Amino acid sequence: MTIETIIFYVFAAMAIGAGLLLVNIKNTARALFLLFVVLFSMAGLYLFALADFIAITQILIYVGGVLILLIFAFMLSSKELLEDLQTSSTRFVSLPNWQSLLISTTFLCIIIYIFIDWSEKIPSWIEQSIAQGTVIQTSDNNIELLGFKFMTQYLLPFEVISIFLMMALIGAAHLSRKEDTV
């Protein structure tokens, strides 16, 4: 089993596990964090499907835009929702700390393995790119190509995403209102 296969299964397991926890959790703050994990792991899966543009769009639009608006709306909504987070366990060794320690250690082991594996030999997909001459150089003007794609081929999805972000902003503003009647 190659490291690429292992990383793919890690992203898939994170997406499925966090998705299952997301629909079953009652705490809104933890649900927003799990939504971040699901969206980020889906971006990783898009990278494995060779959909770089969709992965970057996933991170920029959903993780960077919509999720941050939801977090702001949550923080501004009411203090009752935040009190549940403050009454959580203050012990150093609790279940969330063990989970974060496990995830951090796993990522550290993956990074060390990749560093050792790549320092010994160049991966075959990089050798194939070098042989075919499809390696992106630092002198290539990718920003111009990306701007051209945004304004020609991807103009409609770009505008739909901007309208979606505007709707999310309006929804976040509506949720943050302090009126008693809804």
Side-chain angles (χ1 to χ4, degrees):
M1 187 177 287
T2 63
I3 188 68
E4 291 88 5
T5 308
I6 293 171
I7 293 173
F8 172 78
Y9 284 127
V10 167
F11 275 129
M14 281 182 6
I16 292 170
L20 289 174
L21 285 173
L22 176 66
V23 297
N24 290 322
I25 200 163
K26 296 192 185 319
N27 189 326
T28 309
R30 290 191 175 100
L32 286 173
F33 175 72
L34 287 171
L35 181 62
F36 167 76
V37 172
V38 169
L39 293 174
F40 191 77
S41 58
M42 287 303 298
L45 291 174
Y46 286 140
L47 285 176
F48 276 99
L50 299 178
D52 301 333
F53 178 76
I54 296 174
I56 291 171
T57 305
Q58 173 88 7
I59 292 173
L60 288 176
I61 302 300
Y62 290 107
V63 175
V66 174
L67 191 60
I68 299 302
L69 287 173
L70 289 173
I71 290 171
F72 281 147
F74 169 74
M75 289 180 357
L76 294 173
S77 61
S78 69
K79 291 185 178 186
E80 291 85 21
L81 293 173
L82 294 174
E83 287 175 2
D84 185 39
L85 289 177
Q86 293 174 350
T87 59
S88 64
S89 175
T90 57
R91 296 179 298 156
F92 176 72
V93 180
S94 63
L95 186 60
N97 289 340
W98 281 109
Q99 291 170 349
S100 62
L101 181 66
L102 178 68
I103 291 171
S104 301
T105 306
T106 304
F107 279 126
L108 178 65
C109 291
I110 290 172
I111 289 171
I112 290 172
Y113 175 78
I114 290 172
F115 178 75
I116 291 170
D117 189 40
W118 281 30
S119 63
E120 294 175 2
K121 62 179 175 67
I122 297 175
S124 61
W125 60 274
I126 293 178
E127 289 176 351
Q128 290 173 356
S129 293
I130 292 171
Q132 295 171 354
T134 57
V135 177
I136 298 174
Q137 301 295 327
T138 56
S139 61
D140 292 344
N141 194 356
N142 293 327
I143 296 175
E144 181 181 340
L145 179 63
L146 187 61
F148 180 73
K149 292 278 190 181
F150 264 139
M151 293 301 139
T152 56
Q153 185 178 0
Y154 296 109
L155 182 62
L156 181 63
F158 186 70
E159 291 300 324
V160 169
I161 289 171
S162 67
I163 291 171
F164 179 69
L165 280 175
M166 183 184 66
M167 291 186 329
L169 180 63
I170 291 170
H174 178 72
L175 287 175
S176 66
R177 292 187 340 184
K178 298 292 182 187
E179 294 179 5
D180 290 336
T181 60
V182 178

